[in-house]
Amino acid sequence: MDITYFAEVAKLVGVFGLKVTRGGEQLAYQTWDEEVRRNVYSASKSFVACAVGFAVQEGLLSIDEPLCEAFAGSLPASPCENLQKAKVRDLLTMCLGQDRAQLMGPFRPLYEEDDWVKLALSFPFPHAPGSKFVYSNAGPYLAGMLVQRRAGCDLVQYLTPRLFAPLGIRRPTWEVDPLGNTFGSSGLMLTLSELHRFGLFCLQKGNWEGKQLLDAAWLEECTRPQSAAPYGYFFWMGEKNSFRADGKNGQLSIVFPEKEAVVTVVSESRHVPLIFRAIYDTIWPQL
């Protein structure tokens, strides 16, 4: 694969590494910095989607469960009507019913409340759940917290035997909230190759080395639009019938099912649209 053009873009916009696999064959692997673990930011959310899927298949929770039952001990004194209608599914689709992004990076050091479950549920719910897409860290954080509460351990412990260890990802670090719970919305630290293996796992619909780890139907639901937005369950949809785990500043593992291919990039870029164009316009045609 000729990545000459992509390499020129990479040097200009702060890409640290690229990995491309098609049909089980590695077509490209190039780094412009050391391959070390870096914050994959919101690509972490896609791992939470898988954690919820594992919990569903193990009978620990249902996505049709009302939030007022799932978080009965953490509710406001008088939950509003929209909060009473909200279900776990609404956490996954970013259609929770709140009107603005919450628990985002600039806010987190400033909160006086340490119990972020109570905090997340205390924000206003002006919209009916399912009616309005608002990209926010509240939903994935709550989804991850529900898994942790039901499983009795943090997300790293929960995912290690189910996902991380099979994919050869040695115990990673992950941002935590003030009470020490995994902050599922962001802060997972992975290398380029570890994020790429996750993309391959998603391409293979939860199958890894011949073993079905996660229900294929769950990943199909995660990676199709669940609202008017190009968003599934913590995965974005994109050009060329692709879907992806997507984190701030260019942490991308893009799956092209029709090509049986995965393109993964890690970056520290303020020009992510240029990275997308280089992938779609120069990498994809060679797949």
Side-chain angles (χ1 to χ4, degrees):
M1 171 173 281
D2 183 358
I3 64 166
T4 303
Y5 178 80
F6 186 92
E8 291 303 314
V9 173
K11 293 172 186 176
L12 291 172
V13 303
V15 173
F16 295 142
L18 166 73
K19 206 161 199 176
V20 182
T21 299
R22 180 192 63 199
E25 177 187 1
Q26 182 173 291
L27 301 185
Y29 172 47
Q30 181 67 49
T31 58
W32 292 272
D33 200 345
E34 294 178 314
E35 185 174 345
V36 298
R37 280 185 168 169
R38 305 178 190 275
N39 189 347
V40 299
Y41 295 103
S42 286
S44 309
K45 294 174 172 66
S46 299
F47 287 81
V48 174
C50 291
V52 172
F54 284 117
V56 167
Q57 73 183 28
E58 292 168 9
L60 296 179
L61 60 86
S62 165
I63 63 170
D64 294 318
E65 189 173 349
L67 292 192
C68 286
E69 294 181 12
F71 297 103
S74 302
L75 299 171
S78 299
C80 69
E81 182 179 355
N82 287 332
L83 174 52
Q84 292 180 48
K85 292 178 180 178
K87 297 183 178 181
V88 172
R89 181 191 306 273
D90 300 312
L91 303 176
L92 306 175
T93 62
M94 297 288 184
C95 296
L96 183 55
Q98 296 180 338
D99 62 348
R100 65 184 63 184
Q102 305 289 1
L103 300 182
M104 308 308 281
F107 309 156
R108 294 200 291 277
L110 306 178
Y111 293 127
E112 295 183 2
E113 172 62 68
D114 286 343
D115 186 335
W116 285 1
V117 173
K118 287 185 177 179
L119 180 67
L121 293 169
S122 73
F123 296 126
F125 283 73
H127 306 288
S131 66
K132 183 178 176 63
F133 179 88
V134 177
Y135 188 82
S136 171
N137 281 341
Y141 169 71
L142 289 170
M145 281 301 304
L146 183 57
V147 174
Q148 291 175 84
R149 289 182 173 187
R150 296 289 169 83
C153 62
D154 67 31
L155 285 181
V156 175
Q157 290 173 292
Y158 185 69
L159 285 175
T160 290
R162 294 164 177 83
L163 181 65
F164 292 146
L167 270 57
I169 300 173
R170 294 183 178 274
R171 181 180 175 88
T173 55
W174 201 330
E175 183 180 345
V176 297
D177 70 12
L179 300 181
N181 305 296
T182 306
F183 184 71
S185 299
S186 186
L188 178 60
M189 304 287 288
L190 297 173
T191 67
L192 168 68
S193 296
E194 289 169 339
L195 182 59
H196 189 69
R197 289 198 293 275
F198 178 68
L200 292 172
F201 169 80
C202 296
L203 171 66
Q204 294 159 192
K205 297 182 179 180
N207 190 288
W208 192 256
E209 296 182 342
K211 185 176 181 180
Q212 194 68 41
L213 303 180
L214 181 57
D215 184 9
W218 175 258
L219 276 170
E220 289 173 358
E221 284 296 292
C222 288
T223 56
R224 70 173 183 85
Q226 295 289 340
S227 67
Y231 201 75
Y233 294 161
F234 303 150
F235 283 86
W236 285 98
M237 314 298 111
E239 293 182 33
K240 318 298 183 184
N241 296 317
S242 64
F243 64 84
R244 67 185 185 273
D246 185 326
K248 177 182 175 181
N249 298 341
Q251 325 312 318
L252 307 168
S253 193
I254 308 175
V255 179
F256 297 96
E258 294 172 5
K259 299 286 190 177
E260 297 185 354
V262 178
V263 177
T264 303
V265 168
V266 293
S267 316
E268 187 56 47
S269 178
R270 301 301 187 271
H271 305 284
V272 177
L274 295 179
I275 300 173
F276 277 117
R277 288 272 49 91
I279 292 171
Y280 291 138
D281 296 346
T282 72
I283 300 293
W284 183 85
Q286 299 182 69
L287 296 176

